[in-house]
Amino acid sequence: MGERGSRNPLLPGGVSRYCRSKMYARRAQYKKRKTVAAPAKEATPRFVTKQVRGDKNGSTRNVPVRTTTKMYPTEDVRPKLKNRKINKPARLRSSIKPGTVLILLSNAHRGKRVVFLKQLPSGLLLVTGPYRVNGCPLRRVDQTYVIATKTQVDISNVKVPDHVDDAYFRRQTKARKSKNAGEMFEEKDAKYQLSDQRKADQKAVDAALLASVKKTPELLWYLRAKFTLHKGQYPHNMVF
């Protein structure tokens, strides 16, 4: 008798004839599987017998192991889920660098060209017109709503004050007074007015920025002109 060959011979190229699942059935390994019985769990009693003092109270009393709640809410209230999300500031786009001229696409100043100064801790962009050129003051802008151009302004001499951060732009809301029965007319809310600190910071930034803008010919008129689209012009085909 000749020697017995392999149950899974090799085909030309060194590939086995049968796959792993096929060999599992050919070797009848399903009969050799070991089944381990799970350990039996001890049944925990629902009640515990405790001794009770007093002749008229009985000698023992059954006390439940797990006590149920004695008060139920009248309405179904959803429990708050744990939120492990940590808000991180968005990464700055590679096309946006300090001094890049941006085109605003939203808010009241949409269509204006502004100069990017720095990114705030919240991820928003700090930009300015300057205010003397196109009327856009120091403000925060989301980088989603801007178009970055290839025009650059040298802002190495522009020093943004350290106190200009996210809290710098938050408006202080006054607490509303409770109405008395004797007051017939409501007090009108006072209009928002810029503080002297905001005006001084705007003048200081504009003065340094305008000095560098005037060094480049026709850059002042470029910042003053609004971005518009005419018939047959498509933004995705333009190079800014």
Side-chain angles (χ1 to χ4, degrees):
M1 297 179 61
E3 296 182 359
R4 185 178 178 181
S6 175
R7 291 183 179 180
N8 193 6
L10 296 177
L11 299 177
V15 181
S16 301
R17 181 175 182 180
Y18 301 108
C19 61
R20 185 190 303 177
S21 59
K22 187 68 175 177
M23 290 303 300
Y24 183 84
R26 287 174 63 84
R27 292 170 181 165
Q29 290 184 349
Y30 55 88
K31 297 181 180 179
K32 304 175 184 178
R33 286 189 303 178
K34 294 182 180 179
T35 56
V36 180
K41 295 183 180 180
E42 297 181 359
T44 56
R46 296 178 57 187
F47 297 92
V48 178
T49 304
K50 291 188 176 182
Q51 299 293 331
V52 181
R53 296 180 181 180
D55 299 336
K56 298 181 179 180
N57 294 330
S59 58
T60 59
R61 184 174 297 174
N62 292 332
V63 180
V65 177
R66 294 184 179 181
T67 57
T68 57
T69 56
K70 297 181 180 180
M71 185 186 70
Y72 296 93
T74 57
E75 297 179 358
D76 294 336
V77 180
R78 287 187 177 183
K80 292 184 178 180
L81 301 177
K82 292 183 179 180
N83 185 10
R84 297 183 178 87
K85 184 179 179 181
I86 301 175
N87 294 328
K88 298 180 181 179
R91 291 183 180 179
L92 190 63
R93 282 154 50 182
S94 59
S95 58
I96 301 177
K97 299 178 182 179
T100 303
V101 176
L102 308 176
I103 300 174
L104 301 182
L105 301 178
S106 65
N107 63 52
H109 300 278
R110 59 180 174 271
K112 293 183 180 180
R113 294 179 172 91
V114 295
V115 181
F116 168 64
L117 299 178
K118 67 175 183 178
Q119 187 179 24
L120 298 175
S122 63
L124 299 177
L125 310 182
L126 178 64
V127 299
T128 183
Y131 182 75
R132 290 179 58 184
V133 176
N134 53 22
C136 184
L138 284 168
R139 62 185 296 113
R140 297 178 296 174
V141 180
D142 193 341
Q143 61 179 336
T144 308
Y145 304 105
V146 300
I147 297 176
T149 65
K150 295 184 178 180
T151 307
Q152 291 283 336
V153 181
D154 185 15
I155 61 170
S156 57
N157 297 328
V158 180
K159 294 183 180 179
V160 181
D162 296 334
H163 60 268
V164 179
D165 52 4
D166 293 299
Y168 179 80
F169 294 96
R170 292 174 186 166
R171 294 187 181 182
Q172 297 179 356
T173 56
K174 296 182 180 180
R176 294 185 177 182
K177 297 181 180 179
S178 58
K179 296 180 182 179
N180 298 328
E183 296 180 358
M184 296 180 60
F185 302 100
E186 297 181 358
E187 295 181 359
K188 295 183 178 180
D189 296 336
K191 292 184 178 180
Y192 175 73
Q193 294 181 354
L194 283 175
S195 61
D196 296 336
Q197 182 68 35
R198 291 280 294 269
K199 295 178 181 179
D201 295 338
Q202 185 69 57
K203 290 181 180 179
V205 173
D206 281 4
L209 187 59
L210 278 173
S212 59
V213 168
K214 291 179 180 179
K215 295 179 182 179
T216 306
E218 300 184 359
L219 182 58
L220 186 67
W221 299 102
Y222 175 74
L223 294 174
R224 187 171 295 174
K226 270 193 172 185
F227 172 74
T228 55
L229 290 175
H230 299 281
K231 186 177 180 180
Q233 294 181 343
Y234 305 101
H236 59 277
N237 291 334
M238 295 182 179
V239 178
F240 298 93

